[in-house]
């Protein structure tokens, strides 16, 4: 037995640390057992959880934007308390699912019981499994060699019709409906290939659809499902000494499995999966569920910017050899969400909304420039770039948590005194934040902002137009009363003289919904795009501005 | 309820896949309950598991070199069957712990019961926790400005005295014992800083000790524990246009937590942890426990080669900005183990012993060159480089699973016909493999090989000396009978005219143990280094050859 004593020198240290974990486990076992749940209830609860809860609390329920919902916590609270939270929400941001009527009392009860059980392990999705969902409807060699229509397709708008699982393609010149395409469940964003020819959509369920805008009637040419829960997508936009990657690759950012997936840009064939599970940059907590928030493609390097939300890391992913991707893992701030390029497209600015911060990375030097405190819960979308006579280039963000829009100087060379500081603070009238999107265009004198998530129904339907020079409000526009819902998402046309806005209703009543087109010169309504096909529009992406990152 | 139907479009897909997992869980619950285990037994079993089982089966018991030992499998087998495996081993490589007497019958019974329980979650080790174990005994400013002795310290040998938790430092010129230093539990390897001045040891328990060889009596100047289970370490060796990193940083490769940790090279202050959890390169299975096997430092780039064993990926980690490490994740082969540089130090060759393969990466172009089939279970150590008149530069490996040493051409420019192929196969007399280390030196005409893990006691004590030109056996040397144990690990002195060999006994009987020094010219024993301090020597690392990667 002499030998055993020796080998336990190290074991003893391990024992001390394991013992704590074991004690926790013992304690957990002393909690009341979870309330019963039938197999049918379990299955139904899983669906609701994925749909309503996983986004904030995580598929593993370890918490993210929302707190952890592990059984050691939920079983201490008990069914009745949990029902109260689910019904009435919390001031911290938990929605009042019950009071809103989105969950029935019976569903609230079900979910209160479900979350006291161990979370079922969410499934993996290896490339082999992805390939089972991969379909090429029209192979690349059978696609048009040039556009089969005479439309100005670089001014097309892809409009997400979220709750009916479609995308409408609208001719931005004529405002005619060109095509509607089945894209499936809850499309989150649309992006274009470097040439603009290909439109990609990504659904909340991780389904990617590829649409060829050169077809007489643009339609889907391929699809694949690369995640169970996905939010972001971009394409390869580099051509230069390191290779020609135009229209060659796409990247999909997944919430679950926490990963990014690289696919062939022409066929969507899944090529590579990389886990984003990581340690938080600050507390070094290992997160299996460190998820991919926004992503953008660099124009001058074969590289994507991938924001690993909960880890607080901005990854620059060099895709020039996808079997040896080169990833620069830049410590930034938590929880990374959405962001965009500065005017020079060298710096990427992204919201870290856990800490009311904008993190700036230099994609040339591949390092963090600065974490900049802004307002409460910044939500820039891709932000808005202003070239100001005094401050020089500025990049601006709105906020979910307050009524301000703040602009950061982005030119350390010619305007160093303003660089990487908040130098402008614009205020929108009315209480509270709720801004989801701001937008401008280099040719426009204006910056537009919505207020879609404000509690005030009037503000939800208002658009705030600022003068880019004076930063003063020029006009507050309320959308016409005949259209019901919130005014959300702003997008310029290719020429930069129109602003498109969705009227976002959760109800499927086409006659009360529209995409509104405002004249950016006169700030008046130019056209309400309506039709039987209009249902729950939530966003619209101009081909040219999106492919060139003009905002 | 209309709306719920819509939102479930995606949920339904998820449900189908979750359902399979749920069914498995249900099935698991129908297995017999695990046999009882007292809290004391649980604690003892955890220590034994860490010490004897985790290396092959993984801390999470999901399998690695050995099969998975999750309760769904172990409870089907039951206590009696498991006891048989643990006592008698398996032909697949499971040792006969019981028969060898390393585990008592009572311990075998304990482990058979323990592994039917859920594995207790192994603890994390964030930087803050590491810092609690961090001690600087002599701060850098109080260390010598130049060597305080007149010894030829670049020819020091650090000898690991594994089971007594010490490292002995021996003067390679005089063969005198210079110092013994307490390094703690089961040191796995020793490495030197770029200048050679600093000696680092890493224990199986993740404890790192820093020893200053310039002190009159070299002693430890700092220590830190960065893992619960660690195997590898290297230092920063780059000086050039990208910075001066000589003696600046060290990297520690951990089995648990599965990660690498970057520390200050002068103080061992923990600076950065990066998870190595990843998808396997081929089957895309997510492995929390993708562990760091061997690592080496590049001499011409600020980069470490980090082998992520179970993922089958070779990571090139650029350390020039540790807050934005740049990692090239090269798909290679599973399970990566040990390896070394070719003569030019551009190519790194590493064993992938799950597939009897040597993977070659080009650290300049940062891509896989080739996966090359070799013999059964290659175990190169760092390999051996030969400059052959016909074949040009060769890199050779021995094998655990057969009696061959195979050499691969490494010069695609001047000897393209031999490059990245096995062009030489040397055979050692006697049945079976069991080779752990081979070694040569540019100045020597010989290549030496041990047979430490062979089953034949005679072969275990034999050294096989090959002619580097003819590839023929020149001499088989049996170590002197007065020393008990196996002959293991070969190391040249700085001049390349002596070969040092450890006599590795598990018994702590100093009078029967030694470090043997052979004359490489005459192939005769020059000196047996003995003394009361000699206990379980298992390896020895020459300062100059290790710091310069000469092998």
């Amino acid at each position: 037995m002499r030998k055993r004593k020796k080998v336990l020198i190290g074991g003893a240290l391990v024992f001390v640390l394991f013992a704590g974990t074991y004690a926790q486990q013992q304690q957990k076992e002393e909690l009341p057992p979870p309330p019963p749940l039938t197999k049918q209830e379990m299955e139904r609860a899983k669906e609701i959880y994925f749909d309503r809860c996983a986004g904030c609390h995580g598929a593993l329920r370890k918490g993210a934007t929302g707190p952890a919902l592990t059984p050691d916590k939920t079983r201490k609270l008990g069914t009745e308390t949990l029902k109260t939270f689910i019904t009435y929400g919390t001031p911290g941001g938990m929605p009042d699912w019950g009071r809103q009527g989105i969950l029935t009392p019976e569903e609230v009860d079900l979910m209160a019981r479900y979350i006291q059980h161990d979370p079922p392990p969410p499934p993996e999705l290896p490339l082999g499994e992805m390939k089972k969902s991969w379909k090429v409807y029209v192979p690349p060699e059978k696609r048009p060699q040039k556009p089969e229509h005479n439309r100005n397709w670089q001014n097309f708008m892809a409009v997400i019709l979220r709750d009916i699982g479609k995308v409408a393609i609208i001719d931005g010149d004529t405002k005619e409906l060109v095509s509607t395409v089945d894209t499936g469940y809850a499309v989150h964003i649309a992006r274009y290939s470097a040439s603009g020819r290909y439109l990609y959509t990504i659904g909340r369920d991780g389904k990617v659809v590829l649409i060829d805008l050169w077809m007489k009637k643009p339609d889907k040419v391929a699809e694949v499902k690369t995640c169970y829960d996905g939010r972001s997508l971009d394409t390869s936009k580099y051509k230069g000494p390191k290779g020609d990657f135009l229209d060659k690759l796409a990247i999909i950012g997944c919430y679950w499995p926490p990963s990014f997936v690289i696919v062939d840009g022409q066929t969507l064939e899944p090529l590579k999966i990389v886990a984003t599970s990581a340690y938080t940059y600050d507390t070094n907590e290992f997160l299996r569920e460190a998820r991919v928030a926004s992503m953008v493609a660099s124009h001058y390097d074969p590289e994507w910017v991938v924001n690993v939300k909960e880890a607080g890391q901005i990854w620059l992913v060099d895709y020039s050899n996808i079997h040896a991707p080169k990833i620069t893992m830049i410590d930034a701030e938590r929880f990374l969400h959405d962001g965009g390029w500065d005017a020079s497209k060298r710096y990427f600015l992204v919201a870290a909304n856990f800490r009311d911060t904008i993190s700036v990375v230099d994609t040339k030097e591949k390092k963090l420039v600065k974490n900049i405190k802004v307002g409460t819960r910044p939500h820039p979308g891709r932000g808005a770039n202003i070239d100001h006579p005094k401050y020089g280039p500025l990049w601006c963000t709105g906020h979910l948590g307050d009524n301000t829009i703040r602009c950061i100087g982005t030119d350390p060379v010619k305007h160093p005194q303003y660089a990487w500081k908040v130098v402008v603070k614009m205020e929108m009238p009315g209480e509270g934040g709720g801004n989801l999107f701001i937008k401008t265009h280099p040719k426009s004198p204006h910056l537009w902002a919505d207020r879609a998530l404000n509690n005030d129904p009037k503000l939800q339907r208002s658009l705030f137009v600022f003068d880019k020079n004076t930063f003063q409000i020029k006009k507050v526009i309320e959308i016409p009363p005949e259209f019901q819902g919130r005014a959300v998402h702003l997008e310029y046309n290719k020429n930069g003289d129109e602003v498109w806005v969705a009227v976002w209703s959760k109800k499927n009543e086409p006659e009360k919904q529209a995409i509104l087109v405002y004249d950016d010169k006169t700030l008046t309504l130019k056209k309400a795009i309506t039709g039987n096909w209009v249902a729950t529009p939530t966003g619209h992406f101009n081909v040219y501005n999106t492919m060139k990152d003009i905002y």
Side-chain angles (χ1 to χ4, degrees), chain A:
Chain A
M1 283 310 298
R2 188 174 48 80
K3 198 174 344 141
R4 284 232 49 81
K5 268 190 223 149
K6 276 187 309 203
V7 294
L8 293 184
I9 302 169
L13 288 166
V14 171
F15 152 65
V16 173
L17 280 130
F18 272 63
T21 314
Y22 184 69
Q24 283 177 345
Q25 221 182 23
Q26 291 293 93
Q27 197 187 357
K28 194 172 95 183
E29 277 155 24
E30 283 155 23
L31 283 168
L37 211 58
T38 68
K39 204 170 161 180
Q40 283 70 24
E41 285 179 322
M42 174 64 92
E43 285 152 13
R44 185 138 166 259
K46 275 188 248 182
E47 297 167 17
I48 299 174
Y49 185 86
F50 163 74
D51 194 46
R52 296 290 173 195
C53 319
C56 290
H57 297 284
L60 301 175
R61 288 203 228 132
K62 299 214 168 158
T65 312
L69 295 178
T70 41
D72 56 318
K73 295 190 164 193
T74 51
R75 278 155 69 184
K76 256 184 229 156
L77 293 170
T79 308
E80 288 312 308
T81 307
L82 292 168
K83 280 167 72 174
T84 307
F85 284 137
I86 301 168
T87 307
Y88 298 104
T90 68
M94 168 80 187
D96 48 348
W97 296 123
R99 192 159 54 186
Q100 278 189 55
I102 286 170
L103 297 183
T104 65
E106 178 235 339
E107 288 170 329
V108 168
D109 178 72
L110 171 64
M111 295 315 290
R113 286 181 290 133
Y114 171 72
I115 58 174
Q116 295 175 66
H117 288 256
D118 284 328
E124 290 292 339
L125 193 53
L127 294 181
E129 280 300 308
M130 291 178 204
K131 281 184 183 163
K132 292 182 186 168
S133 70
W134 175 43
K135 290 177 195 129
V136 179
Y137 297 106
V138 184
E141 64 276 14
K142 296 202 173 160
R143 295 176 198 161
Q145 300 294 309
K146 55 184 175 44
E148 292 178 337
H149 48 66
N150 291 319
R151 293 181 184 273
N152 178 16
W153 59 272
Q154 288 200 339
N155 195 31
F156 280 179
M157 288 274 190
V159 177
I160 294 171
L161 305 174
R162 192 179 186 281
D163 289 0
I164 63 163
K166 288 181 198 292
V167 161
I169 295 155
I170 305 192
D171 183 325
D173 289 4
T174 65
K175 316 293 184 281
E176 289 169 308
L177 175 68
V178 181
S179 182
T180 57
V181 182
D182 284 327
T183 46
Y185 178 73
V187 166
H188 195 239
I189 60 163
R191 289 288 183 267
Y192 297 94
S193 65
S195 72
R197 170 194 180 158
Y198 288 113
L199 163 63
Y200 301 77
T201 65
I202 166 88
R204 266 271 272 115
D205 63 348
K207 181 170 156 180
V208 180
V209 168
L210 175 64
I211 297 161
D212 184 355
L213 299 181
W214 283 8
M215 292 164 85
K216 191 164 184 61
K217 189 178 162 71
D219 203 353
K220 63 180 167 185
V221 293
E223 68 177 55
V224 70
K225 181 179 164 71
T226 60
C227 339
Y228 295 110
D229 189 352
R231 308 292 169 115
S232 50
L233 186 148
D234 213 341
T235 59
S236 54
K237 293 186 174 172
Y238 174 82
K239 184 180 175 178
K242 295 174 192 171
D244 175 1
F245 295 97
L246 301 184
D247 290 26
K248 292 281 172 30
L249 297 170
I251 181 172
I252 298 114
C254 300
Y255 265 28
W256 191 270
S259 60
F260 62 81
V261 177
I262 300 172
V263 300
D264 183 282
Q266 302 269 330
T267 65
L268 302 184
E269 181 184 3
L271 301 175
K272 178 77 183 168
I273 178 168
V274 177
T276 50
S277 304
Y279 288 100
T280 54
Y281 88 96
D282 49 356
T283 56
N284 314 134
E285 186 188 351
F286 179 77
L287 298 179
R288 169 71 179 106
E289 212 169 344
R291 306 178 297 182
V292 176
S294 56
M295 303 190 303
V296 295
S298 170
H299 293 257
Y300 67 84
D301 245 345
E303 208 162 69
W304 291 301
V305 179
V306 173
N307 293 288
V308 185
K309 194 181 185 77
E310 288 84 4
Q313 289 181 340
I314 301 168
W315 289 13
L316 307 181
V317 178
D318 182 321
Y319 53 72
S320 56
N321 175 1
I322 61 163
H323 298 294
K326 194 180 300 176
I327 307 177
T328 308
M329 300 176 174
I330 301 172
D331 288 347
E333 190 48 282
R334 293 192 280 158
F335 297 128
L336 299 173
H337 194 66
D338 49 358
W341 293 108
D342 79 308
S344 76
K345 297 189 174 62
R346 170 175 174 172
Y347 301 100
F348 179 75
L349 300 98
V350 56
N353 49 32
F354 181 66
R355 297 226 166 101
D356 297 341
T357 289
I358 295 291
S359 293
V360 187
V361 283
D362 178 347
T363 63
K364 191 176 170 197
E365 297 285 331
K366 307 198 192 303
K367 63 179 189 185
L368 183 75
V369 175
K370 206 174 167 191
N371 285 326
I372 303 163
K373 285 279 172 194
V374 290
T376 307
R377 288 207 285 153
H379 189 279
R382 283 173 285 169
N385 285 293
I386 294 174
D387 191 12
H388 192 266
K390 176 179 171 193
Y391 298 112
L394 298 170
W395 179 93
C396 309
T397 181
H399 299 83
L400 288 166
D402 68 39
N403 66 342
T404 67
I405 293 163
R406 300 180 198 218
C407 303
I408 293 167
T410 63
D411 177 10
V413 177
K414 291 190 190 153
H415 299 82
Q417 69 274 42
Y418 305 122
W420 318 129
K421 292 172 194 158
V422 173
V423 290
V424 174
K425 188 169 124 182
M426 299 178 245
E427 285 190 30
M428 291 183 277
E431 286 292 301
N435 167 249
L436 269 180
F437 297 103
I438 61 173
K439 194 63 56 102
T440 186
H441 188 281
K443 292 186 187 158
S444 164
H446 301 133
L447 179 147
W448 291 61
D450 69 20
R451 207 77 170 268
L453 292 191
N454 196 287
N455 286 330
D456 180 341
K458 191 178 156 78
L459 294 177
Q460 289 168 7
R461 297 171 52 78
S462 296
L463 299 164
F464 301 83
V465 185
F466 288 86
D467 182 305
K468 274 162 69 169
N469 243 325
T470 64
F471 309 114
Q472 299 304 308
I473 285 264
K474 206 158 166 183
K475 191 172 181 184
V476 179
I477 297 168
E478 207 170 329
I479 59 173
E482 59 267 35
F483 302 116
Q484 289 188 359
R486 302 167 188 231
V488 72
H489 205 251
L490 305 145
E491 182 84 342
Y492 276 84
N493 64 342
K494 186 183 171 192
N495 284 341
D497 55 16
E498 288 174 2
V499 175
W500 292 43
V501 185
V503 184
W504 174 32
S505 166
K506 287 174 187 172
K507 298 202 181 80
N508 189 1
E509 294 165 302
E511 68 284 3
K512 294 177 182 165
Q513 299 189 42
I515 298 105
L516 304 175
V517 181
Y518 285 88
D519 184 317
D520 188 55
K521 297 265 180 305
T522 61
L523 306 183
T524 55
L525 185 66
K526 185 171 175 180
K527 167 100 182 162
I529 301 173
T530 57
N532 277 332
W533 55 271
V534 181
T536 65
T538 55
H540 26 264
F541 296 85
N542 179 266
V543 174
Y544 190 82
N545 294 338
T546 307
M547 84 194 219
K548 296 285 187 193
D549 286 296
I550 295 168
Y551 37 78

